[in-house]
């Protein structure tokens, strides 16, 4: 897969997980955690979806 596709897949997974964590534990008030999860997910997507 190209780097862009891997980054988007990982960023989507990281966004959804961090959004769930923020809404469950922080009441949806901490938005920077969502962006941190987005960037970590993009990096993890590039790393884990390699072939």
């Amino acid at each position: 897969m190209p780097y862009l596709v891997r980054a988007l897949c990982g960023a989507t997974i990281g966004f959804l997980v961090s959004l769930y964590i923020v809404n469950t534990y922080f009441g949806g008030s901490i938005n920077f955690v969502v962006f941190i999860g987005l960037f970590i997910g993009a990096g993890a997507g590039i790393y884990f979806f390699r072939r």
Side-chain angles (χ1 to χ4, degrees):
M1 283 193 277
Y3 283 112
L4 182 64
V5 174
R6 289 186 275 179
L8 286 176
C9 288
T12 303
I13 294 169
F15 175 73
L16 292 175
V17 169
S18 62
L19 197 65
Y20 171 75
I21 290 171
V22 167
N23 284 332
T24 303
Y25 297 110
F26 298 112
S29 61
I30 302 176
N31 290 327
F32 69 92
V33 176
V34 174
F35 291 115
I36 292 171
L38 193 73
F39 292 126
I40 291 174
I46 291 172
Y47 180 74
F48 286 120
F49 292 129
R50 69 181 190 273
R51 281 191 179 227

